Amino acid sequence: MIIISKNCFSSSLRFAAIAKELNARELTSARVHLAAGLPLKWVQAQRESFRKYLMQNKFVQFRYKGRQYEVEIAGCTVMPQCYSAVAESLKDFKGMNLLADIGNGTMNIMYLNNGRAMESKSWTEKLGIFQCMKRIHNKVLDETGTNLMNEVIENYLRTGETDIAEPYASLMKEAAVSYVQEIFQKLKDYEYNESLMQLHFMGGGARIVEAVGEYNRERTHFNHDICATAKGYEYYCYMILRHNKKCS
């Protein structure tokens, strides 16, 4: 059985993810177990309904990039975003730590106390990297009348650098700085104090925070592995399946 991990699974993305995993293994049929995630504050309320949605078709046949696939969905585990990204390294988080996982649509925030999640201190904010893209696009459009291509913005957010001409480069940075300032203000709203804790950024938005943000470089850390959360899902899923097998 193959475990396939992903942050979110729409119907089309689910089949695409499965096809890519099978293709990498040179397979066209398999039993798979889906390992998926939801934002922290949505997990308790939506875990079961999301799992049922992903499991609604146990046996599926589909075509992807000209190849036919046959798959049995053997199971599904739904886990919290952010926390899963550090699942394998919790022992390294000494003292108080604040995690900020900036995804496409949301930012998940969670405190860890000596590697233990503080569930009462976890939040989900609609402050993902997509909001930064919109700000950059709108600022350039408002100031210059130019409809900046999404690819240009995405490249900037991915690397923190751009080779486009002025005034576009400066306008992009201004909008990004404003977005990052709002992120730090939101963290402070949730009692972030750089003198009392370590701060860890991860997810697709970590790069732009590192590039344009103002922060304590000795107490702020960046994980640029965009697959970290998916790897955590897979790790947790293996642990759960192993535990269930021992108990059965």
Side-chain angles (χ1 to χ4, degrees):
M1 183 172 64
I2 299 172
I3 293 179
I4 297 177
S5 54
K6 202 75 173 174
N7 259 351
C8 292
F9 281 106
S10 68
S11 180
S12 58
L13 289 178
R14 179 165 77 253
F15 295 143
I18 292 172
K20 289 179 180 179
E21 291 289 339
L22 295 187
N23 188 56
R25 294 169 170 81
E26 298 184 349
L27 298 172
T28 56
S29 64
R31 294 178 71 242
V32 303
H33 186 105
L34 301 178
L38 286 171
L40 291 169
K41 281 301 183 181
W42 301 355
V43 173
Q44 289 187 349
Q46 300 182 25
R47 186 197 302 265
E48 188 56 28
S49 61
F50 190 47
R51 192 188 71 81
K52 288 180 178 178
Y53 163 72
L54 295 178
M55 291 283 296
Q56 60 185 322
N57 297 311
K58 186 173 182 179
F59 297 96
V60 293
Q61 295 181 344
F62 61 94
R63 292 186 66 82
Y64 181 76
K65 292 188 175 181
R67 300 188 71 180
Q68 182 73 21
Y69 295 91
E70 296 182 1
V71 173
E72 176 189 352
I73 309 296
C76 177
T77 304
V78 180
M79 290 157 287
Q81 294 175 6
C82 187
Y83 184 64
S84 297
V86 297
E88 296 185 74
S89 57
L90 288 173
K91 65 181 183 300
D92 299 328
F93 288 83
K94 308 300 183 182
M96 191 66 69
N97 291 270
L98 177 59
L99 310 182
D101 184 1
I102 307 174
N104 184 53
T106 61
M107 176 173 69
N108 289 292
I109 307 165
M110 172 178 275
Y111 279 94
L112 297 179
N113 184 15
N114 288 317
R116 292 182 175 271
M118 303 175 67
E119 294 187 12
S120 63
K121 288 186 173 293
S122 61
W123 302 272
T124 296
E125 292 286 340
K126 290 186 177 180
L127 199 58
I129 198 67
F130 179 69
Q131 281 70 31
C132 186
M133 286 189 64
K134 287 175 58 178
R135 291 190 188 190
I136 291 174
H137 179 271
N138 291 341
K139 185 170 186 62
V140 172
L141 183 63
D142 292 345
E143 296 284 344
T144 69
T146 299
N147 190 8
L148 199 60
M149 292 186 299
N150 286 340
E151 290 79 5
V152 173
I153 303 175
E154 289 171 358
N155 288 336
Y156 174 58
L157 296 178
R158 190 178 298 114
T159 65
E161 300 176 352
T162 183
D163 62 354
I164 64 174
E166 296 293 350
Y168 307 109
S170 294
L171 292 172
M172 287 176 65
K173 184 175 181 180
E174 287 178 23
V177 167
S178 174
Y179 166 76
V180 171
Q181 287 174 342
E182 184 172 350
I183 284 178
F184 276 98
Q185 183 56 56
K186 185 61 66 176
L187 296 180
K188 290 176 182 177
D189 292 344
Y190 290 122
E191 302 179 349
Y192 167 60
N193 184 327
E194 68 175 25
S195 299
L196 304 179
M197 62 197 67
Q198 301 283 336
L199 176 59
H200 304 262
F201 284 102
M202 59 198 73
R207 182 69 69 183
I208 198 64
V209 173
E210 183 178 27
V212 305
E214 295 183 5
Y215 49 86
N216 185 327
R217 296 184 181 277
E218 294 182 356
R219 301 180 64 81
T220 307
H221 314 277
F222 298 88
N223 182 348
H224 296 303
D225 182 0
I226 61 174
C227 297
T229 299
K231 291 175 181 176
Y233 296 160
E234 188 169 345
Y235 170 78
Y236 263 128
C237 193
Y238 273 123
M239 294 300 101
I240 293 171
L241 292 176
R242 181 182 298 176
H243 175 75
N244 292 342
K245 186 175 181 180
K246 288 181 179 180
C247 294
S248 60

